[in-house]
Amino acid sequence: MIDLFIIKVGGNVIDNPELLQTFLEKFAAIPGKKILIHGGGKIATRIGDKLGIESKYVDGRRITDADTIDVVTMVYGGLVNKQLVAKLQANGCNAIGLTGADANIIPAVKRPVKEIDYGFVGDIRTEILHTGPLKALLDTGITPVFAPLTHDGNGQILNTNADTIASSLAIALSQHYSVRLIYCFEKKGVLRDPADDESVINLINKEIYQQLLEEKILTDGILPKLQNAFGAIDNGVKEVLIGHADDVLSNTTPKVAGTLIC
Ligand SMILES: Nc1ncnc2c1ncn2[C@@H]1O[C@H](COP(=O)(O)OP(=O)(O)O)[C@@H](O)[C@H]1O
Ligand SMILES: CC(=O)N[C@@H](CCC(=O)OP(=O)(O)O)C(=O)O
C-alpha cells in the first residue's frame, strides 16, 4: 500500500508565527501523499472576545451556540484555512482548503443533548465518510487542508474537534493507504512531567496509558488527543505519533521523535 501522512497541527502552533512558519516549511517538504488538519481554538476564542462572544468549554469541547458557530465558521473555514493554504502555496505545496462539507467528505450529526447541550457540535458519521474525493485530489498531487468543520446534510455547518477529524480521516483512509497519523503541537511529545519539556515518554501502550491516567499525569487537551490516538490504532491505523511541530519532517521518516502510540 502507498504511504499517506495525516498530520494535525494545533492552535498553539498556529497562533505562534515563528513556530507556524517552521512547521509549514517542513510540512511542505514532506514527499508523497499528505493531508493537513488544523485547529485554531485559541484564535476563535480571541476573535469571539473581540466580538463580545464569550467562549465556554466542557471536557475540551466548545459549547457552540448560534453566534459561536458563525464565529468558528469564519475563523476556521475562512481566516485560518485560507492563510494556511496561501502560506503552503508560498512554500511550493499545492494545497486546497476544505471543510467537511466540501464534496460531502465528512457528514456529521449534531451531538444529542444529554446532560449538556453542546449546541452546533458535530459527531462524525464515520460509517458514511466519503474518501473518494480525497483519493482523487491526492492522486493529482494536491494536498487537502481541513478546517475543523463538518455538516449535517441539511444545510447546517457543525463544529468538530480537529483531533477527532484527524483520527476519523486516518481510520477511513487506512482502507486504501498505509497511514501514519501525526499529532503536532508545541511540546516534544507526551510528557511525564508537564513542566519539564525534556521528560518525553517515547512509547505509550494501553497498559502504560492506564498507569499514566491513574498517576494523573495526563490532563487538559492531551486526554482527548490520546483517546483519539488509541481510537485510530484500534481501528486499522498503522502508526500514531504525538510530537513537536518542529519534528514533523523527521517524524515522516523511520527516525521518529516524540511519543509513539501502539
Ligand atoms: N502529560 C502531558 N504531556 C503533554 N501535554 C500535556 C500533558 N498534560 C497536559 N498537557 C497539555 O495538553 C496540551 C495539548 O492539548 P491541546 O491544547 O488541546 O493541544 P492542541 O490545541 O495542539 O491540539 C498541552 O499544551 C499541555 O498544556
Ligand atoms: C467542538 C470543538 O471543541 N471544536 C474545536 C475545534 C478547533 C480545535 O480543535 O482546535 P485546537 O486543535 O487548536 O484545539 C473548538 O472550537 O475549539
Side-chain angles (χ1 to χ4, degrees), residues 20 27 97 114 141 144 170 182 224 227 262:
L20 180 62
F27 179 87
K114 292 185 185 147
I182 307 174
Q227 282 160 7
C262 57

Side-chain angles (χ1 to χ4, degrees), residues 8-13 163 184-187 189-194 217-222 224-225:
K8 188 264 168 165
V9 63
N12 289 324
V13 176
D163 288 355
C184 294
F185 69 147
E186 79 289 2
K187 309 266 185 200
V190 182
L191 305 174
R192 180 157 287 286
D193 172 5
I217 282 169
L218 309 169
T219 57
D220 309 315
I222 206 72
K225 215 178 281 305

Side-chain angles (χ1 to χ4, degrees), residues 32 67 93 107 125 152 179 244:
D67 284 337
C93 172
R125 298 181 65 191
D152 74 353
V179 174
H244 200 287

